[in-house]
Amino acid sequence: MGAMPFRHLYLLCLFTCKLSPEVAAEVQESSDGPGAREPVWLTDVQAAMEFVAAAEVTVIGFFQDLEVPAVSLFHSVVKNFQDVSFGISTASEVLAHYSVTGNTISLFRLVDNKQLDLKSEDIESMDATKLSHFIQRNNLHLVTEYNPMTAIGLFNSMIPIHLLMMMNKASPEYEESLHRYQEAAKLFQGKILFILVDSGVKKNGKVISFFKLKKPQLPALAIYQTLDNVWDTLPITEVSVEHVQNFCDGFLKGKREKIMNQKKRCQRWNSDFSLLLLRRTK
């Protein structure tokens, strides 16, 4: 296990990895024709709650007036994100349920039970590219694929422990390994963010080398505590729910034991210091 007190994995990658032309183009692309989608109309609170609960990431446009420019802006980005569910609502009871008081675009995440709001004043200064950036940055799933955009959302998440599976997506075992990794992610929802790092992407080599790993050691798991930069790694020949669960449990147990030991040391120090003060007063 290692500690790197003056470095942060995601800051390192953000400073060293600019958005590639491919990623930038992907944000601005639109899917015309058969792939085009429209947001789902949400007419009451029950429908909205079920809609949010049914997807890992949901974006809802809450509008009091359908004539405002924000509505067409919202529609323009829907077709850019096939892994996000989009809804729209003008019902006053729905807006009230989600504490929305004006035209607002909200992103809901299952992985950390987060609601991120873009208020009316935020939307006014946005175009389709900026709104797409907001969604892509915060598009975190039970398993989120690492790239320079999602790194921002991962860094801003309130969940401080991140697990990375480093594996080449072109490998024959990838699909089955990802399925098992996703199953394990459900066991730690709200406790650990699960991340996929494609070792076949050249720029991801910086992430792999951060954990002192080399490609022959892959696939591997790396677990990372963002608050104190403590991390641990586990090269594996096969990804299984049991391997992932045991690795995570071991790290969490170690963190708990470390906190308990710190508390015990603090209590002993306070006790010794109190005895010292008593002796000096006699």
Side-chain angles (χ1 to χ4, degrees), residues 102 154 171 213:
L154 293 165
S171 70
L213 290 168

Side-chain angles (χ1 to χ4, degrees), residues 140-275:
L140 306 185
H141 292 250
L142 284 174
V143 174
T144 300
E145 183 168 358
Y146 172 84
N147 61 51
M149 286 297 289
T150 56
I152 300 170
L154 293 165
F155 175 70
N156 288 328
S157 171
M158 295 300 291
I159 299 177
I161 300 178
H162 300 175
L163 179 72
L164 294 80
M165 180 176 75
M166 303 176 211
M167 186 176 196
N168 193 325
K169 289 175 66 175
S171 70
E173 300 82 16
Y174 167 71
E175 291 296 337
E176 183 59 32
S177 296
L178 177 62
H179 174 71
R180 292 170 182 168
Y181 193 55
Q182 289 170 329
E183 288 300 307
K186 296 174 184 177
L187 303 176
F188 295 94
Q189 186 178 330
K191 297 179 182 178
I192 299 175
L193 285 181
F194 277 57
I195 302 159
L196 169 68
V197 178
D198 183 3
S199 60
V201 175
K202 187 176 180 181
K203 286 188 177 180
N204 287 346
K206 293 182 174 68
V207 181
I208 297 166
S209 61
F210 178 91
F211 293 104
K212 311 299 183 187
L213 290 168
K214 300 185 183 300
K215 281 203 171 183
Q217 294 175 283
L218 305 182
L221 299 174
I223 197 162
Y224 181 72
Q225 162 65 271
T226 62
L227 298 178
D228 54 15
N229 291 327
V230 171
W231 50 266
D232 197 6
T233 58
L234 178 68
I236 48 177
T237 55
E238 180 186 9
V239 178
S240 70
V241 175
E242 184 180 6
H243 283 154
V244 175
Q245 185 176 3
N246 290 342
F247 184 54
C248 291
D249 283 339
F251 187 82
L252 292 173
K253 183 181 178 184
K255 294 295 293 181
R256 285 194 295 269
E257 288 177 350
K258 181 181 177 182
I259 292 169
M260 290 302 295
N261 288 335
Q262 286 174 340
K263 285 182 179 179
K264 287 177 182 177
R265 283 197 297 270
C266 184
Q267 288 169 353
R268 283 198 300 269
W269 186 89
N270 287 337
S271 176
D272 293 344
F273 187 65
S274 299
L275 288 171

Side-chain angles (χ1 to χ4, degrees), residues 57-71:
V57 179
T58 305
V59 177
I60 300 179
F62 298 106
F63 300 113
Q64 295 174 323
D65 180 2
L66 290 177
E67 300 302 316
V68 295
V71 177

